[in-house]
Amino acid sequence: MSKLADNLARVEEAIARACRAASRPRAEVELMAISKTHPSEALVEAERLGLHLFGESRVQEFAVKSAQLAVSAAPGETATVRSQIRVHMIGNLQSNKANKAVEVFDGVDTLDSVKLAVRLDAAVAANVLWGGKKLPVLVEIKLSSEESKAGLAPDSAELSALLERLPDLKHLDAQGLMTIAPLDVPEEETRGCFRRLRELRDELAQQHARLHLPMLSMGMSGDFALAIAEGATRIRIGTALFGAREYPA
Ligand SMILES: *Cc1c(COP(=O)(O)O)cnc(C)c1O
């Protein structure tokens, strides 16, 4: 078995265990493979192992890989790997990159301002490749006080403004919330963070009746079992699948 196949089997086992412990069906939890910094060959191999949802954190990095995947097909097949997978933006997205983002991504899971939402909506409207389909988006929420964390604070005016505006942006499909838990904190704090995201979603769904927010993207390699226990419907796994990331010096 390849290293990736081995890692995937281990991750699947841990997901199944966490689902059983939470009395949740496995089918309720989507596995998103986080392939940032890894070459397009890693996505090709992952697709062959049955993974179809990926997350990438940089527009330019994925634009290069997307072009490579658009010409690579399995032996004897005509469908390209790119056409068999969905890839979402999970990194900080500047609104001036909205056009490029909707050219290469199938979704944006880090929506964090009205300005970006308006730009993405216009970019999808203007892009014939989308052909009337809506761009799936998640609103990124900041639940820890670390200054570096991206996302909107739960009680911020900007979050209310964004949720008020989203139903009117006809080319966006707001599906739920996303958060990154603080790293290296006690397990109870991590779990509390995931619980707050679920409770916030329930509150927001009540306050904004025109929105339906079923998706909770939370949990990474180190904490996805806790996230599943608290209701995650999408977990984002990088290191546990692809190994440690190497960043250029
Ligand atoms: C890199 C990244 C992940 C994956 O983290 P691992 O710990 O490697 O699983 C998940 N979510 C986001 C937003 C990321 O940037």
Side-chain angles (χ1 to χ4, degrees), residues 32-36 38 55-57 90-91 110 140 178-180 183 217 219-224 235-241 243-245 247:
M32 174 181 266
I34 305 300
S35 47
K36 64 187 183 196
H38 298 287
E56 287 270 344
S57 60
I90 56 141
T110 45
E140 183 173 6
M178 177 270 205
T179 199
I180 304 173
L183 299 172
S217 173
M220 315 194 336
S221 291
D223 54 22
F224 66 87
I235 54 175
R236 308 181 306 266
I237 313 293
T239 310
L241 288 174
R245 287 178 289 274
Y247 292 92

Side-chain angles (χ1 to χ4, degrees), residues 15-223:
I15 294 172
R17 206 179 312 125
C19 285
R20 270 196 308 275
S23 302
R24 299 183 59 198
R26 168 68 187 85
E28 251 179 47
V29 182
E30 260 187 310
L31 171 56
M32 174 181 266
I34 305 300
S35 47
K36 64 187 183 196
T37 78
H38 298 287
S40 58
E41 288 79 10
L43 289 94
V44 172
E45 189 188 354
E47 192 272 330
R48 289 191 187 140
L49 291 169
L51 292 168
H52 294 286
L53 179 65
F54 293 82
E56 287 270 344
S57 60
R58 288 168 180 273
V59 177
Q60 195 46 46
E61 179 190 337
F62 185 62
V64 174
K65 291 191 233 175
S66 181
Q68 293 165 343
L69 296 170
V71 294
S72 79
E77 285 178 17
T78 51
T80 66
V81 173
R82 184 65 189 92
S83 69
Q84 303 299 305
I85 62 176
R86 288 175 294 136
V87 185
H88 288 203
M89 176 63 168
I90 56 141
N92 178 45
L93 180 59
Q94 288 167 316
S95 46
N96 62 9
K97 295 208 177 124
N99 282 309
K100 188 71 188 172
V102 309
E103 273 174 35
V104 298
F105 289 112
D106 306 292
V108 172
D109 290 9
T110 45
L111 181 59
D112 63 355
S113 72
V114 173
K115 184 177 171 189
L116 177 60
V118 169
R119 293 276 185 99
L120 287 169
D121 184 65
V124 173
N127 190 318
V128 292
L129 292 174
W130 280 87
K133 288 200 310 295
K134 292 174 181 232
L135 176 78
V137 295
L138 300 181
V139 176
E140 183 173 6
I141 305 290
K142 169 182 150 140
L143 289 171
S144 74
S145 53
E146 289 169 58
E147 275 312 313
S148 61
K149 279 269 152 48
L152 295 168
D155 50 5
S156 64
E158 179 82 15
L159 176 60
S160 307
L162 177 58
L163 295 173
E164 279 300 308
R165 191 68 188 275
L166 276 171
D168 297 321
L169 299 174
K170 298 297 178 205
H171 304 278
L172 302 186
D173 177 18
Q175 300 185 331
L177 307 180
M178 177 270 205
T179 199
I180 304 173
L183 299 172
D184 304 319
V185 298
E187 201 172 290
E188 256 322 297
E189 200 174 322
T190 308
R191 184 161 178 166
C193 175
F194 295 144
R195 187 179 313 130
R196 280 206 302 287
L197 193 73
R198 171 167 48 79
E199 290 169 353
L200 177 66
R201 187 273 311 276
D202 295 345
E203 285 166 29
L204 295 176
Q206 287 226 312
Q207 290 163 15
H208 301 268
R210 295 161 73 207
L211 287 173
H212 180 58
L213 303 167
M215 178 75 62
L216 292 174
S217 173
M218 56 191 194
M220 315 194 336
S221 291
D223 54 22

